[in-house]
């Protein structure tokens, strides 16, 4: 055994890192010309200027221009906001701040976002799984049986990879259930696609509520790595003790502030409108296809659908890859057999996807797809 493996924490040797869309298919020069519909990114990049005048200096711990901009956007004071390297860093900080390693647990409600479990594993926190119901809602009765057994509960609304909102009633029930015993995180990475559904105003009522936000989805800035954790000042103070001393690079703060200025917000809103329209069109088209068994309700920038069987699922995935169109296979998630997820790219990209699938099923070697509902 190598010296490094001999010395390493034992659980890391067997651990599989998060299989991000970009690890599964790297974006290197070899893959130019591909259509990326596998990571819920926005289709087009904005144009930004960065100011390098003070790049010899360390940035502020929490750059003021950035915090002011997000405070104006969300309506909370700066004491309720922590800027992080993506919402992913917020997930990690919460686990590190609240879970004693090899002692405390988190609760996840799969099918859900993979980073909650990865961050827990990395830190040595246990994972309690309380799956969503068959209607993809919270299983309140099962959550009730876990009260007192976890320090952090992760809820995702709209959910990834499912796309649907959790009912506000259920989120409130979870907050009541865990009011004395756990931090309840509501991951709102996709909330700009249905802004009226945010639970932001509940921060005043529930001191153990934490909300995660990101610029990676509706703001079209996944490459920037900028997210926000919203919570009580007491929680923000705790998280500030665990985060790195200079988490936000100065150029990141400049670009993010521009994206959050009034003209940036206007662009974001029209992007959301366009995405929601394209999603509705794609959803209608998918529902008509004989190989498609179910299209899930979605309030985010992607659609999840279930194929009639595994052979059809594999055929669809492979036909798209052969044409350089990458979508995400979600069929290994609990209760998502034969399911694929398509990010809402540009109108041209989605037309290309539909054309490619129509052509593939016109081929007489295609597996038979008979609509059976
Ligand atoms: C994309 C995503 C994130 C992570 O966003 P980053 O800000 O890019 O780290 C967090 N939660 C969910 C549900 C996501 O889909």
């Amino acid at each position: 055994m190598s010296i490094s493996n001999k010395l390493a924490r034992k659980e890391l040797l067997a651990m599989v890192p998060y299989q991000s869309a970009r690890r599964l298919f790297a974006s290197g020069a070899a893959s130019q010309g591909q259509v990326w519909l596998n990571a819920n990114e926005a289709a087009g990049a904005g144009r930004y200027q960065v100011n390098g005048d003070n790049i010899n200096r360390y940035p502020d711990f929490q750059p003021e221009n950035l915090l002011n901009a997000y405070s104006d956007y969300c309506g909370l004071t700066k004491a309720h906001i922590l800027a992080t390297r993506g919402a992913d860093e917020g997930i990690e900080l919460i686990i590190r701040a609240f879970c004693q390693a090899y002692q405390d647990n988190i609760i996840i409600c799969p099918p859900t976002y993979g980073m909650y479990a990865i961050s827990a594993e990395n830190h040595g926190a246990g994972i309690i799984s309380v799956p969503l119901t068959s209607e993809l809602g919270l299983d309140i009765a099962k959550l009730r049986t876990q009260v007192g057994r976890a320090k952090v509960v992760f809820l995702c609304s709209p959910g990834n990879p499912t796309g649907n909102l959790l009912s506000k009633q259920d989120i409130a029930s979870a907050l009541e259930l865990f009011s004395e015993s756990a931090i309840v995180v509501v991951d709102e990475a996709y909330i700009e696609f249905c802004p009226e559904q945010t639970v932001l105003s509940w921060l005043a009522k529930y001191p153990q509520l934490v909300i995660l936000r990101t610029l990676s989805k509706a703001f079209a800035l996944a490459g920037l790595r900028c997210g926000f954790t919203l919570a009580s000042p007491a929680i923000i103070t705790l998280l500030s003790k665990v985060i790195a001393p200079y988490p936000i690079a100065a150029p990141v703060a400049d670009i993010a502030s521009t994206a959050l200025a009034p003209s940036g917000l206007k662009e974001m809103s029209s992007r959301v409108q366009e995405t929601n329209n394209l999603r509705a069109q794609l959803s209608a088209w998918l529902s008509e296809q004989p190989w498609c068994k179910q299209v899930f309700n979605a309030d985010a920038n992607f659609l999840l659908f279930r194929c009639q069987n595994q052979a059809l699922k594999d055929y669809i995935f492979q036909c798209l890859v052969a044409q350089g169109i990458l979508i995400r296979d979600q069929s290994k998630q609990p209760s998502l057999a034969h399911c694929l997820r398509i990010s809402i790219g540009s109108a041209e990209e989605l037309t290309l996807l539909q054309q490619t699938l129509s052509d593939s099923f016109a081929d007489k070697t295609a597996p038979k797809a008979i609509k059976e509902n």
Side-chain angles (χ1 to χ4, degrees):
M1 195 191 282
S2 67
I3 179 74
S4 53
N5 279 7
K6 210 160 72 188
L7 296 175
R9 286 165 56 204
K10 292 297 160 271
E11 63 272 32
L12 285 191
L13 300 180
M15 188 183 159
V16 182
Y18 182 62
Q19 299 298 298
S20 71
R22 209 56 88 243
R23 274 203 205 190
L24 292 170
F25 295 96
S27 67
S31 32
Q32 286 302 309
Q34 288 189 320
V35 177
W36 302 98
L37 302 177
N38 61 348
N40 299 345
E41 298 146 337
R47 300 198 64 80
Y48 297 95
Q49 297 260 299
V50 297
N51 172 0
D53 289 353
N54 288 316
I55 205 74
N56 55 317
R57 303 291 175 198
Y58 284 111
D60 285 342
F61 166 61
Q62 290 283 287
E64 194 164 2
N65 57 347
L66 178 60
L67 273 251
N68 283 335
Y70 206 80
S71 169
D72 288 347
Y73 167 59
C74 75
L76 296 170
T77 68
K78 288 186 274 183
H80 291 83
I81 305 171
L82 186 71
T84 58
R85 287 165 289 192
D88 281 348
E89 187 177 39
I91 295 167
E92 190 194 322
L93 297 176
I94 292 160
I95 292 174
R96 283 167 56 204
F98 292 99
C99 291
Q100 186 80 52
Y102 309 108
Q103 185 174 311
D104 293 333
N105 301 311
I106 68 161
I107 292 177
I108 59 171
C109 302
T112 193
Y113 185 53
M115 280 307 294
Y116 314 138
I118 298 272
S119 285
E121 261 190 277
N122 255 323
H123 179 66
I127 300 161
I128 296 173
S129 190
V130 180
L132 297 175
T133 64
S134 52
E135 279 78 48
L136 300 178
L138 292 179
D139 192 331
I140 297 296
K142 293 234 173 69
L143 283 172
R144 183 172 290 119
T145 68
Q146 300 302 325
V147 171
R149 299 195 55 213
K151 285 286 197 67
V152 184
V153 181
F154 283 98
L155 309 179
C156 192
S157 181
N160 178 10
T162 48
N164 68 305
L165 285 156
L166 298 175
S167 87
K168 281 196 176 177
Q169 180 61 56
D170 283 353
I171 297 174
S173 301
L175 281 158
E176 298 290 345
L177 278 179
F178 292 95
S179 63
E180 301 293 325
S181 63
I183 298 294
V184 175
V185 179
V186 179
D187 186 338
E188 294 192 339
Y190 299 96
I191 203 66
E192 282 83 10
F193 297 96
C194 47
E196 67 292 345
Q197 297 293 330
T198 180
V199 295
L200 190 96
S201 66
W202 295 5
L203 284 171
K205 181 167 172 207
Y206 297 104
Q208 98 283 28
L209 171 61
V210 175
I211 295 172
L212 295 175
R213 297 282 188 85
T214 179
L215 300 186
S216 296
K217 310 290 162 54
F219 285 89
L221 287 170
L224 194 64
R225 310 308 301 127
C226 187
F228 299 89
T229 300
L230 312 177
S232 71
I235 292 178
I236 297 298
T237 301
L238 279 171
L239 300 180
S240 302
K241 297 182 184 185
V242 219
I243 198 170
Y246 308 106
I248 306 295
V252 169
D254 288 346
I255 292 176
S257 312
T258 308
L260 288 160
S263 68
L265 292 178
K266 236 170 91 184
E267 266 176 57
M268 184 273 284
S269 293
S270 59
R271 181 182 304 114
V272 162
Q273 188 86 69
E274 162 92 356
T275 302
N276 286 346
N277 291 340
L278 289 172
R279 187 187 64 227
Q281 287 167 30
L282 181 64
S283 173
W285 183 82
L286 284 170
S287 317
E288 289 166 3
Q289 305 310 308
W291 38 262
C292 180
K293 182 167 187 169
Q294 180 188 6
V295 185
F296 291 73
N297 285 330
D299 286 282
N301 65 343
F302 58 88
L303 268 179
L304 183 73
F305 68 98
R306 195 189 300 274
C307 305
Q308 296 282 3
N309 58 49
Q310 171 155 358
L312 286 163
K313 188 268 291 175
D314 291 340
Y315 183 73
I316 289 165
F317 193 83
Q318 289 312 328
C319 288
L320 291 173
V321 168
Q323 295 303 312
I325 302 172
L326 306 178
I327 65 171
R328 189 100 196 216
D329 190 333
Q330 295 288 355
S331 61
K332 298 212 166 53
Q333 289 248 22
S335 76
L336 297 188
H338 320 325
C339 285
L340 296 170
R341 191 193 70 189
I342 304 174
S343 304
I344 304 302
S346 66
E348 294 72 32
E349 288 171 331
L350 296 176
T351 304
L352 184 67
L353 173 136
Q354 291 171 35
Q355 194 56 55
T356 301
L357 288 177
S358 297
D359 292 351
S360 303
F361 279 98
D363 190 308
K364 56 183 179 310
T365 63
K368 286 272 170 299
I370 297 149
K371 194 90 186 166
E372 32 171 297
N373 278 321

